[in-house]
Amino acid sequence: MRPDMRAVVFIPVAILSGMFAMVVAALIVDGRFGLAPLVGGSVAFACAAALLVLHGIRQSISVEKLALMDSLTGLPNRRALHADYLHLSRDAGEMAIALVDLDGFVLVNEQYGHQIGDETIRECASILMGICKGEASVYRLGGDEFALVKEGPLAGNIVEGLSRKAIERLSAAIHIGERRLNLGASIGLTRSTSGAAVASSEMLRRADVAMYESKRAGKGRCTWFIPDFDRSREQTRELDDDLRSALANQEFDLHYQPLVHCDSRRVVAVESLIRWNPPGRGAIGPDVFIPAAEKSGLINPIGLWVLRRACRDALAWEGIKLSVNISAAQLRNPEFPIQLGQILEETGFDPERLELEITETCLVIDPKVAERSLGVIRGFGVKVVLDDFGTGYASFGFLRRFRFEKLKLDRSLIANAGHDDGSRAMMLSSITVARAMNMGVTAEGVETREQAEMVRAAGCDTIQGWHYFKAMPASDIPQYLGRRIEAPRLFPQAVQPEGKIAALKLAESDGRAA
């Protein structure tokens, strides 16, 4: 029994015993009572006190057990893990911990409610217990997180083997009543040896870091902790601080890439692209900038800044449509449609001129939420464009379900269509389906005259790419409006795009830019 629990039991009994002793002493001094009644009363009190102590000890032990047990699954909890680890690590030469996180549990709770969620957690606990079978201890840390702990020689190898079995089993369907749920799991692994003892809290932190690396690498896998992960997290934290500072100090800027109509050869739309050049550091690559903003949640305020600034810049470009990219995180935010409406009202920008570009990832992550948000957005009169079509998950079924106003063919599809029959067939079929569904079609990444002629002949409406324009400041846009843009390059053949660093496109975590 813990010292604090012993105090709870014995201190009240000691106080009562002292009070009883004083009463007995007073009665003896008074002399009106015989010795026999006092002795009998003392014996009765002693028995009652003993029973009280015994009952208190039993209740304290019961409370201690409850404090170390997860009430939902009956597994030992995080507190028990720390206590067990402290005891086991004194004698074990090696300690290993695996942190198991259920990948799809949040969606289960959202779609089926907490009752089904609780049953799912209990079933997963049972699965992990069945896999370990006494080879390792199983703990529930809370939410959808479990831990496996093993001590002794080859503890790391054993825990890794159990983790791979857990991933394999949890990647299969789990039946809860009549429902068939697909969860999957990501696992982080860490170990310590007798020569380098590590506290349980630090072991859990390392396992947690490794687990998130598993998620970043695609989920459904296990990853061992290495010190480089901590250095990467520190760099991410510094970048996050820099992003917050950049947003507060107005360090971001917008450039615009015009879209040219295939028939009239006139600029009919522009796409906004965000740039960030921190003072004294040069441009930050989109492969770092965009994922960091999405992970920290800064993609929401940055996205709103882009939307507001773009609407103000494009307000004077009469008849020109404005395309603004929104990320999956923004689309999942229930406040985004409301914020969009406020920006349109605040800037006075015509909703009919605004196009919001989303990528296939936005639809795949949570189609129901995306459908609700897009319905509200369309209610304002804003058009919705599917960006980078042909690179990921979206199928023609998605086109039928969401009914986009425009389809943008990805640059890789355009680049390959000139020499690959499969890519050419996919491009042509995409254009045909888009036409049948009354969607416009834009070819992205057009960089040569041959590509421009190919997509024009295939039936695209607009062309976007270095063949006509690179991204430029807002002040340069008006000179190209209202006149025919001829085919000769605006840039020498020797000038090649410098990758995707200069113009950071506010989109998905791959940071695509023109």
Side-chain angles (χ1 to χ4, degrees):
M1 186 188 302
R2 299 201 319 265
D4 57 333
M5 298 302 292
R6 285 199 297 268
V8 170
V9 173
F10 288 104
I11 289 178
V13 174
I15 293 173
L16 289 174
S17 299
M19 295 173 61
F20 180 78
M22 287 189 291
V23 171
V24 169
L27 293 175
I28 292 174
V29 172
D30 184 67
R32 287 185 293 174
F33 293 91
L35 189 59
L38 294 177
V39 172
S42 298
V43 172
F45 176 81
C47 292
L51 290 174
L52 181 61
V53 169
L54 182 61
H55 179 72
I57 291 174
R58 288 176 177 173
Q59 292 300 313
S60 297
I61 293 174
S62 177
V63 169
E64 282 191 50
K65 289 182 178 179
L66 290 175
L68 297 174
M69 183 183 71
D70 175 61
S71 59
L72 179 60
T73 62
L75 294 175
N77 59 17
R78 183 184 295 268
R79 185 175 178 180
L81 185 151
H82 289 300
D84 292 347
Y85 182 93
L86 181 62
H87 173 71
L88 294 170
S89 61
R90 292 171 181 167
D91 302 320
E94 181 178 340
M95 295 290 298
I97 291 182
L99 186 64
V100 183
D101 184 270
L102 305 178
D103 292 329
F105 180 71
V106 173
L107 292 179
V108 171
N109 259 347
E110 291 178 352
Q111 293 178 4
Y112 303 112
H114 290 283
Q115 181 177 352
I116 298 299
D118 289 347
E119 292 181 23
T120 303
I121 290 294
R122 283 193 287 266
E123 179 63 21
C124 291
S126 177
I127 290 172
L128 292 175
M129 287 291 290
I131 290 172
C132 291
K133 295 179 181 177
E135 290 190 75
S137 301
V138 183
Y139 301 81
R140 185 191 177 210
L141 304 183
D144 58 355
E145 287 187 342
F146 296 85
L148 312 181
V149 177
K150 176 66 178 177
E151 80 287 350
L154 302 177
N157 293 344
I158 294 172
V159 165
E160 181 177 355
L162 295 174
S163 297
R164 296 192 184 283
K165 290 181 181 178
I167 288 174
E168 182 179 357
R169 174 62 186 87
L170 292 172
S171 64
I174 295 177
H175 295 274
I176 304 296
E178 298 180 353
R179 295 176 175 84
R180 188 172 180 270
L181 307 179
N182 294 294
L183 295 174
S186 298
I187 301 179
L189 302 166
T190 187
R191 75 177 102 196
S192 68
T193 61
S194 56
V198 181
S200 56
S201 58
E202 174 63 13
M203 289 283 283
L204 282 178
R205 187 196 69 80
R206 294 179 181 181
D208 187 63
V209 170
M211 182 270 292
Y212 277 105
E213 289 297 325
S214 292
K215 286 187 176 294
R216 286 182 57 187
K219 302 181 179 180
R221 63 187 67 198
C222 56
T223 304
W224 280 100
F225 173 83
I226 57 175
D228 285 346
F229 291 164
D230 275 344
R231 287 189 284 271
S232 176
R233 285 167 67 92
E234 180 62 22
Q235 293 171 355
T236 300
R237 186 194 64 78
E238 292 176 357
L239 180 58
D240 179 66
D241 291 341
D242 291 342
L243 283 172
R244 294 179 189 277
S245 176
L247 188 60
N249 297 329
Q250 300 290 313
E251 293 180 8
F252 296 114
D253 193 16
L254 285 188
H255 281 211
Y256 299 88
Q257 186 174 34
L259 280 70
V260 177
H261 195 275
C262 286
D263 294 332
S264 68
R265 305 293 205 280
R266 295 175 182 269
V267 173
V268 294
V270 294
E271 179 180 354
S272 62
L273 304 169
I274 186 171
R275 288 183 173 183
W276 182 34
N277 292 282
R281 294 176 57 185
I284 301 294
D287 56 333
V288 177
F289 165 52
I290 298 299
E294 289 185 331
K295 183 181 293 185
S296 66
L298 284 174
I299 198 72
N300 289 300
I302 291 175
L304 293 177
W305 179 88
V306 169
L307 190 59
R308 182 177 287 105
R309 169 72 177 275
C311 287
R312 287 173 176 165
D313 285 348
L315 194 61
W317 304 334
E318 293 185 8
I320 301 299
K321 291 188 179 297
L322 169 67
S323 291
V324 178
N325 298 276
I326 60 173
S327 72
Q330 289 177 274
L331 198 60
R332 290 196 302 269
N333 182 3
E335 297 296 318
F336 176 71
I338 300 173
Q339 294 164 338
L340 170 63
Q342 292 172 342
I343 290 174
L344 290 172
E345 183 177 359
E346 172 190 328
T347 60
F349 193 80
D350 182 3
E352 298 288 337
R353 291 175 54 201
L354 180 61
E355 298 177 340
L356 295 185
E357 296 189 14
I358 65 174
T359 60
E360 303 169 1
T361 308
C362 298
L363 309 178
V364 174
I365 291 177
D366 199 334
K368 291 184 178 179
V369 172
E371 197 167 19
R372 286 197 299 268
S373 295
L374 294 180
V376 177
I377 290 170
R378 283 194 173 100
F380 297 136
V382 176
K383 306 296 189 297
V384 181
V385 178
L386 181 60
D387 195 14
D388 298 342
F389 184 77
T391 61
Y393 313 97
S395 64
F396 293 136
F398 272 99
L399 302 184
R400 184 175 62 253
R401 176 176 180 179
F402 291 96
R403 294 288 178 174
F404 300 98
E405 279 74 31
K406 183 194 291 185
L407 198 66
K408 296 188 76 172
L409 302 179
D410 185 70
R411 63 180 61 246
S412 63
L413 198 62
I414 303 303
N416 294 329
H419 57 81
D420 179 70
D421 292 340
S423 298
R424 187 184 306 109
M426 185 174 179
M427 180 190 73
L428 294 173
S429 62
S430 298
I431 295 173
T432 300
V433 170
R435 287 280 174 248
M437 295 182 177
N438 296 318
M439 290 188 288
V441 181
T442 294
E444 286 187 296
V446 175
E447 298 183 355
T448 67
R449 184 184 301 275
E450 292 74 19
Q451 290 176 349
E453 292 174 352
M454 176 185 66
V455 298
R456 189 177 292 116
C460 289
D461 298 297
T462 51
I463 295 175
Q464 179 180 359
W466 283 67
H467 178 62
Y468 283 111
F469 294 102
K470 69 175 182 178
M472 62 187 73
S475 58
D476 291 348
I477 293 292
Q479 63 182 305
Y480 299 110
L481 303 183
R483 66 182 181 87
R484 184 180 177 86
I485 306 298
E486 298 300 335
R489 276 184 173 273
L490 298 178
F491 309 99
Q493 182 69 31
V495 177
Q496 297 297 326
E498 299 177 345
K500 301 176 182 180
I501 294 180
L504 305 184
K505 179 178 175 182
L506 188 62
E508 295 306 305
S509 60
D510 56 3
R512 287 170 296 275

